[in-house]
Amino acid sequence: MKSAVRGIAGVACVSGLVLMVAGCGGGSEKDSAGGSGSADDKKEQPAAVGVVSRAKAEQLVDHYEKVNNRANKNSDPKLLSTVEGGAVFEQSKAVYKMQKNWSAKERADYREPFHYVDRKFHIPRKGSADWFAMVAYSKSPGEKKGKYPGVLIMEKQKSGDWKMVSSSYSESKRLPKLAKDKDGFVEPVSDTAKKSGAMAPDSLSDSLLDLYTKKGAANSGFRTSKSTDSIGKIPGSQNKLLRPYGEAVYSRGEATHEKIHALRTEDGGSFAVFSTQVREHDRGTQVTATIHPSDSMKVYVGNTSAPSFFVDWLHISSAHIPAKGKAELLGTEYEMTGAAAGSDQNGKMPGTDT
């Protein structure tokens, strides 16, 4: 997926990621040995290795860039699927669909090649994870690098291939300091359902949904920030558009593409990049009411109006969970990944009982 911070249409929101770049976690197989003792003792100890070496991580990202740029040039999701997966691929496919609504200049700008510069790799120890993180800036030829970095997650697939599966872009150059083991490898949170700091990383998606359904950060697991404020305004804005004859109701979407990648931080908490599916139900409040789809919705449903519509939004977000207190939502981006008209006069979701 092309960097969201370039401002090309398709990303609805990017808010203040606050992280302190802590340098590379782990190194090559040759430079990752740890431990202490005599020279003979060291000879007997196998060198500590990461899930990948730094050199291998560079190669994987170089390949991703090359294929991504080729795919963007022709808006080719099939080609992109060879190097992208998970939530970030779902967002990329949505961006390709939405290009029907873009100007010729916006499409041309998006198809310009980009590269990741100033890369910092955060690599877990081999056996502790099947993924690694990279912090980097996006840069196109002839342009300055992006003002803010992105945090990108590359994961090994069952096939053995590596794919980019998640990414969260920021409006800050700082990251929380990541915890490292004695050999310099970052430490993944092995059980995201358990507390890692003040809350469990798995609870982050529930807290994000609360911003839609419970009217702001005060009633969620997040402390107030620019990111929480921006999301908290969405329900009010949508309902204002639909009143007085309609309303928008928000709920958790299907969790097909939800996943979390979390690393421990030096402060006893954790840092996570996570995806969340939110379903918006736009419906008439009177029997005679009809909902007219927006231009973005028309990409999925055409020009047909209906008594109700379901709209699926896929968020990729980042958050810092401190040892104590509420988590901080550092940044979020979201794309409309689907829309469908209600299947009957009661506005049920097609193929479901909801």
Side-chain angles (χ1 to χ4, degrees):
M1 187 177 188
K2 182 163 254 188
S3 168
V5 292
R6 296 193 63 203
I8 304 301
V11 172
C13 170
V14 181
S15 297
L17 174 62
V18 185
L19 296 165
M20 181 159 284
V21 176
C24 294
S28 70
E29 288 89 341
K30 293 183 179 180
D31 63 14
S32 296
S36 59
S38 67
D40 289 339
D41 290 337
K42 289 184 178 180
K43 287 180 181 179
E44 295 175 0
Q45 296 174 350
V49 296
V51 63
V52 291
S53 68
R54 189 182 186 283
K56 179 64 174 179
E58 291 275 13
Q59 292 174 2
L60 290 169
V61 174
D62 286 344
H63 178 65
Y64 170 72
E65 278 183 359
K66 183 179 180 180
V67 176
N68 193 347
N69 282 321
R70 284 171 51 206
N72 287 344
K73 192 173 184 64
N74 298 299
S75 300
D76 185 348
K78 184 176 181 180
L79 176 60
L80 189 61
S81 71
T82 63
V83 292
E84 269 192 10
V88 75
F89 179 55
E90 295 303 310
Q91 285 195 342
S92 293
K93 287 192 296 182
V95 170
Y96 286 167
K97 287 179 180 292
M98 290 299 164
Q99 288 178 0
K100 296 176 182 178
N101 295 329
W102 295 7
S103 68
K105 184 179 185 305
E106 287 173 329
R107 287 192 293 271
D109 286 346
Y110 190 85
R111 290 167 182 171
E112 284 294 316
F114 75 99
H115 302 281
Y116 292 115
V117 299
D118 298 346
R119 301 173 182 176
K120 302 288 185 182
F121 291 98
H122 300 282
I123 300 174
R125 179 185 292 273
K126 186 176 181 179
S128 67
D130 58 0
W131 55 274
F132 66 89
M134 178 185 76
V135 177
Y137 292 81
S138 178
K139 185 180 185 302
S140 292
E143 296 181 6
K144 293 182 179 180
K145 70 180 183 182
K147 186 176 181 181
Y148 302 111
V151 182
L152 302 100
I153 306 295
M154 186 163 275
E155 187 172 65
K156 191 173 185 178
Q157 308 299 296
K158 291 181 180 178
S159 63
D161 296 330
W162 287 82
K163 293 185 178 182
M164 195 71 72
V165 296
S166 196
S167 64
S168 179
Y169 288 88
S170 74
E171 288 185 335
S172 174
K173 298 179 181 179
R174 295 184 298 129
L175 290 168
K177 290 186 177 180
L178 300 175
K180 295 182 181 180
D181 66 17
K182 64 184 180 65
D183 294 308
F185 296 108
V186 292
E187 301 178 341
V189 177
S190 58
D191 187 350
T192 55
K194 292 183 178 181
K195 280 189 175 183
S196 181
M199 65 187 291
D202 279 358
S203 299
L204 290 170
S205 279
D206 291 333
S207 293
L208 189 139
L209 179 63
D210 287 343
L211 297 174
Y212 282 92
T213 61
K214 295 186 177 180
K215 299 182 179 179
N219 299 307
S220 79
F222 294 119
R223 71 188 196 196
T224 300
S225 67
K226 290 181 180 179
S227 295
T228 62
D229 286 345
S230 65
I231 296 174
K233 292 176 181 177
I234 293 172
S237 297
Q238 186 64 4
N239 275 285
K240 185 177 180 180
L241 289 173
L242 294 172
R243 284 197 296 262
Y245 305 116
E247 64 178 357
V249 179
Y250 294 86
S251 63
R252 191 68 168 269
E254 297 178 11
T256 309
H257 301 292
E258 290 196 2
K259 192 161 186 179
I260 186 164
H261 297 84
L263 294 168
R264 299 191 183 282
T265 54
E266 284 188 356
D267 64 3
S270 55
F271 167 69
V273 179
F274 63 102
S275 49
T276 310
Q277 303 224 200
V278 176
R279 177 160 289 165
E280 174 187 327
H281 186 189
D282 297 335
R283 62 193 184 191
T285 53
Q286 295 186 7
V287 176
T288 57
T290 299
I291 306 294
H292 302 286
S294 66
D295 287 343
S296 295
M297 291 167 64
K298 288 177 182 177
V299 171
Y300 295 101
V301 302
N303 293 317
T304 303
S305 299
S308 74
F309 285 95
F310 290 85
V311 183
D312 288 327
W313 299 93
L314 178 57
H315 282 257
I316 302 181
S317 312
S318 54
H320 174 216
I321 302 173
K324 297 180 180 179
K326 284 191 169 185
E328 183 177 8
L329 183 64
L330 302 168
T332 190
E333 297 121 11
Y334 51 94
E335 295 290 345
M336 182 188 294
T337 55
S343 61
D344 61 20
Q345 63 181 10
N346 294 318
K348 291 184 178 179
M349 182 71 182
T352 72
D353 292 325
T354 60

